[in-house]
């Protein structure tokens, strides 16, 4: 094999996977958009999502800022040099990271040090298998941390909230899958896709679940019982009303694929791999002699181009007034006063213009025991680990900057807001009761941005004005950003109200309707 050409082919696969959603995923998102009621928060979210997809196409930049853990599944003819191929893939990963197509995302589990090039022990994941065909089948999935954290595994029999007992049968499996969708809420960037693995042990079950995500959204399961199960889940999961970003709405699930393997008598696992709407999964067929791409996978059928009207739809949705629609956007310019915050309520759409600061896990832990490097009184913290590139003059530029899942900061957030006088926090998926109580006591709000919309929000960032704590690595540093028209929805206010709590409660009530047996 021409290993240099193979490395080039892998680089192309990485860039396309990061920046260009496959056709089957685009069609699923289009169908969801058409189902949603106009003028609602979910409609605004889907308009933002489709606008983001289009911007990623045009900019050849990451759809989502979160690289996740790059996972390759590669089938090779007998005799292929897998060691050389592995080296080429790692070189391609490092180059794509250097070029700003991937965020440096490989962190030493003991020291917290970021390798800076997405390489390290266990990263990326590369799984080879031999087959008798005469070409290389290389597939890649970039599954972000927000949706990875909503993976779940059940050991049957078990008791499930809202659904009662799930036994060791098809009906128990059905209950587990419905519960997996419920528990994800908006934290996994719904509407999403799920892969389900039935059987195996704890590790092989999860691997089987992730394997299902490599199936096309449009395929039909050849196993009759599994086909019926997939159809049932797709017909009923959207009845939970969780909706896009957990805002409530008509579409919660975009795809469900189920696989099965044998198990031992003592164990019965149902493993679910949750994937966000930014379903970055592509594949190529490669000539084993030349190393060149012969064909692209997941590209059958119509390609949906989400063109300019999406921007107008966002504005229209933000100005709509019918319930439960969003209201006209409110402009906030930091530093923000407590009086301004107390006037906001759940459902309000805000647009921030001025300075904001990023802060994720490392920053929040640091701020618990140290003073802030900047004055945060009246300011906005953005839960974001951006993709950044430095130009030849040494200036930083934002290449992708969507929100991170906020619930990880629940142990710290309320204390930090009160300690430093922070008035607003932006993230996705909402936060818990400790933060809600602090918002009410201190006078603060939680603003939900659209998860995965990394290009849309990067466009709102007009300049990078500084950075602190770079020793934590690019994703975890505190970036000083100048923004204009940065749009988000108030989902937790200073009066004790939480849209996330409301949607979770209502979806649990709806989940209970699926308690009775369906499959005999």
């Amino acid at each position: 094999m021409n290993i240099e050409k193979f490395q080039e082919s892998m680089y192309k696969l990485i860039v396309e996977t990061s920046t260009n959603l496959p056709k089957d995923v685009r069609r699923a998102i289009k169908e969801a958009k058409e189902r949603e009621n106009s003028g609602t928060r979910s409609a605004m979210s889907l308009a933002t999502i489709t606008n983001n997809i289009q911007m990623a196409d045009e900019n050849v930049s990451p759809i989502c800022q979160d690289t996740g853990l790059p996972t390759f599944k590669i089938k090779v003819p007998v005799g292929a040099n897998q060691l050389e191929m592995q080296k080429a893939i790692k070189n391609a990963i490092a180059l794509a990271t250097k070029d700003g197509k991937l965020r440096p995302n490989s962190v030493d589990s003991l020291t917290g040090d970021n390798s800076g090039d997405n390489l390290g022990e266990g990263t990326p994941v590369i799984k080879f298998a031999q087959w008798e065909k005469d070409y290389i089948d290389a597939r890649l999935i970039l599954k972000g941390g927000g949706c990875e954290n909503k993976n779940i595994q059940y050991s049957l029999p078990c008791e499930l909230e809202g659904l009662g007992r799930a036994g060791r049968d098809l009906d128990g499996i059905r209950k587990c899958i419905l519960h997996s969708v419920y528990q994800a809420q908006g934290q996994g960037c719904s509407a999403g896709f799920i892969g389900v693995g039935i059987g195996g042990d704890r590790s092989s079950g999860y691997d089987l679940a992730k394997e299902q995500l490599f199936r096309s959204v449009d395929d039909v399961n050849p196993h009759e019982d599994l086909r019926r199960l997939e159809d049932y889940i797709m017909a009923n999961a959207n009845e939970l009303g969780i909706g896009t970003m957990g805002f409530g709405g008509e579409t919660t699930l975009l795809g469900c694929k189920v696989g099965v393997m044998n198990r031992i008598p003592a164990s019965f696992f149902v493993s679910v791999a949750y994937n966000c709407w930014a379903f970055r999964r592509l594949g190529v067929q490669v000539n084993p002699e030349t190393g060149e791409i012969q064909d692209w996978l997941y590209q059958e059928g119509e390609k949906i181009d989400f063109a300019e009207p999406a921007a107008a739809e966002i504005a229209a949705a933000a100005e709509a007034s019918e319930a439960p629609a969003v209201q006209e956007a409110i402009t906030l310019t930091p530093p923000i006063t407590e009086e301004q915050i107390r006037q906001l309520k759940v459902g309000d759409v805000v647009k921030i213009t001025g300075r904001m600061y990023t802060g994720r896990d490392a920053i929040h832990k640091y701020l618990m025991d140290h003073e802030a490097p900047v004055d945060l009184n009246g300011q906005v913290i953005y839960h974001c680990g951006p993709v950044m590139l430095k130009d030849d003059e040494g200036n930083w530029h934002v290449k992708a900057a969507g929100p991170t899942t906020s619930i990880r900061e629940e142990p710290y957030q309320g204390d930090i807001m009160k300690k430093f006088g922070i008035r607003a926090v932006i993230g996705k998926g909402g936060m818990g009761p400790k933060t809600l109580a602090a918002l009410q006591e201190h006078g603060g709000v939680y603003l939900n941005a659209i998860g995965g919309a990394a290009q849309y929000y990067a466009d709102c960032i007009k300049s990078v004005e500084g950075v602190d704590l770079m020793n934590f690595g690019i994703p975890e540093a505190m970036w000083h950003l100048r923004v204009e028209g940065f749009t988000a929805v108030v989902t937790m206010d200073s009066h004790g109200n939480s849209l996330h709590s409301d949607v979770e409660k209502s979806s649990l009530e709806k989940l209970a309707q699926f308690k009775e047996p369906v499959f005999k």
Side-chain angles (χ1 to χ4, degrees):
M1 177 194 289
N2 184 330
I3 204 65
E4 290 183 0
K5 281 292 183 183
F6 178 76
Q7 179 175 314
E8 183 181 316
S9 295
M10 291 301 96
Y11 178 84
K12 290 178 181 177
L13 173 61
I14 294 163
V15 171
E16 282 295 296
T17 305
S18 177
T19 64
N20 189 353
L21 280 186
K23 290 181 179 179
D24 59 335
V25 175
R26 289 168 181 261
R27 290 193 295 269
I29 292 172
K30 179 176 183 269
E31 290 170 8
K33 194 164 179 279
E34 291 171 346
R35 278 195 302 269
E36 194 54 65
N37 296 319
S38 63
T40 61
R41 290 182 290 266
S42 285
M44 182 184 72
S45 301
L46 284 164
T48 303
I49 285 168
T50 53
N51 192 26
N52 184 79
I53 295 169
Q54 184 70 16
M55 293 173 72
D57 284 351
E58 294 170 355
N59 299 335
V60 195
S61 288
I63 296 161
C64 174
Q65 77 289 338
D66 188 357
T67 294
L69 178 58
T71 301
F72 292 84
K73 297 269 190 176
I74 303 179
K75 296 177 182 178
V76 299
V78 175
N81 190 329
Q82 297 176 18
L83 294 176
E84 288 299 317
M85 293 172 68
Q86 186 177 64
K87 289 179 184 177
I89 290 170
K90 290 183 175 181
N91 288 340
I93 283 281
L95 181 57
T97 306
K98 181 182 177 182
D99 291 345
K101 308 304 180 183
L102 300 175
R103 184 178 74 187
N105 230 42
S106 179
V107 176
D108 186 296
S109 296
L110 299 182
T111 66
D113 293 340
N114 192 311
S115 69
D117 58 6
N118 274 306
L119 302 180
E121 189 66 36
T123 56
V125 172
I126 307 172
K127 296 189 176 182
F128 287 100
Q130 287 187 336
W131 65 351
E132 294 182 348
K133 296 184 180 180
D134 62 356
Y135 62 88
I136 297 167
D137 181 299
R139 304 184 187 220
L140 168 63
I141 187 168
L142 301 175
K143 189 173 183 293
C147 60
E148 183 70 13
N149 287 345
K150 300 314 296 184
N151 292 352
I152 190 167
Q153 190 173 68
Y154 303 88
S155 179
L156 297 179
C158 64
E159 292 289 328
L160 298 174
E161 187 179 16
L163 291 167
R165 179 165 298 168
R168 291 184 161 192
D169 54 25
L170 197 60
D171 217 65
I173 296 165
R174 171 190 69 87
K175 288 184 177 182
C176 290
I177 299 173
L178 285 173
H179 185 269
S180 76
V181 178
Y182 158 74
Q183 63 87 36
Q185 291 292 309
Q187 292 177 22
C189 286
S190 59
F193 302 80
I194 54 174
V196 181
I198 303 168
D201 61 16
R202 287 200 180 272
S203 59
S204 64
Y206 265 131
D207 193 55
L208 178 63
K210 185 172 280 190
E211 182 73 35
Q212 304 312 301
L213 296 175
F214 283 94
R215 289 169 54 190
S216 170
V217 176
D218 308 312
D219 78 358
V220 176
N221 201 314
H223 192 295
E224 178 62 22
D225 285 341
L226 298 187
R227 181 192 62 76
R228 288 196 301 136
L229 182 59
E230 290 174 355
D231 290 346
Y232 173 89
I233 295 297
M234 287 307 300
N236 292 281
N238 289 324
E239 297 300 316
L240 297 178
I242 296 167
T244 307
M245 293 300 122
F247 289 166
E250 303 303 312
T251 302
T252 299
L253 195 64
L254 296 168
C256 172
K257 302 299 176 186
V258 185
V260 64
M261 66 194 312
N262 280 18
R263 59 182 177 85
I264 60 173
S267 301
F268 196 127
F269 297 114
V270 178
S271 310
V272 181
Y274 187 94
N275 204 96
C276 58
W277 68 262
F279 191 6
R280 295 161 294 163
R281 174 264 287 133
L282 278 174
V284 289
Q285 293 179 1
V286 176
N287 186 305
E289 295 180 1
T290 67
E292 295 179 322
I293 294 172
Q294 297 178 157
D295 198 9
W296 286 85
L297 307 175
Y298 306 108
Q299 300 295 6
E300 299 83 4
E302 178 189 9
K303 178 178 179 179
I304 307 300
D305 285 315
F306 298 105
E308 285 304 312
E313 289 170 358
I314 296 168
E319 294 174 1
S321 58
E322 67 269 21
V326 294
Q327 307 296 316
E328 185 174 352
I330 298 165
T331 299
L332 294 176
T333 304
I336 306 166
T337 66
E338 181 179 353
E339 181 182 8
Q340 288 176 293
I341 290 297
R342 297 286 184 189
Q343 292 174 358
L344 298 174
K345 61 185 184 301
V346 164
D348 286 342
V349 177
V350 303
K351 289 192 173 185
I352 298 172
T353 294
R355 175 76 67 82
M356 68 168 61
Y357 301 91
T358 67
R360 297 208 324 161
D361 306 68
I363 293 295
H364 282 74
K365 182 176 184 297
Y366 176 87
L367 291 178
M368 289 293 289
D369 302 317
H370 301 82
E371 289 303 310
V374 294
D375 182 3
L376 294 174
N377 189 43
Q379 298 298 327
V380 178
I381 288 289
Y382 182 26
H383 295 164
C384 173
V387 178
M388 309 292 290
L389 271 188
K390 186 182 283 189
D391 63 24
D392 293 338
E393 284 73 44
N395 300 312
W396 287 103
H397 299 276
V398 180
K399 303 302 292 183
T404 254
T405 306
S406 297
I407 197 64
R408 300 198 306 272
E409 318 313 337
E410 178 68 6
Y412 312 111
Q413 194 66 78
D415 294 336
I416 287 172
M417 291 185 78
K418 289 186 285 185
K419 178 180 178 181
F420 295 103
I422 297 163
R423 292 296 172 192
V425 172
I426 305 173
K428 69 178 175 72
M431 303 194 74
K434 183 179 179 182
T435 300
L436 185 62
L439 297 179
Q440 190 170 10
E441 175 190 345
H442 165 64
V445 290
Y446 177 82
L447 305 174
N448 205 119
I450 309 305
Q455 291 305 303
Y456 175 78
Y457 288 115
D459 190 57
C460 297
I461 299 170
K462 303 307 176 184
S463 63
V464 178
E465 300 191 342
V467 61
D468 287 301
L469 303 171
M470 269 292 282
N471 54 299
F472 293 144
I474 287 175
E476 298 289 342
M478 177 179 277
W479 295 94
H480 312 182
L481 307 176
R482 178 69 55 179
V483 303
E484 185 177 308
F486 191 105
T487 304
V489 179
V490 178
T491 53
M492 298 170 69
D493 63 24
S494 63
H495 311 292
N497 303 307
S498 169
L499 175 65
H500 308 284
S501 178
D502 293 345
V503 170
E504 183 174 2
K505 181 180 179 181
S506 66
S507 61
L508 180 60
E509 292 171 354
K510 292 171 183 175
L511 185 67
Q513 70 182 298
F514 302 111
K515 188 173 184 178
E516 295 305 315
V518 173
F519 299 114
K520 304 297 184 183

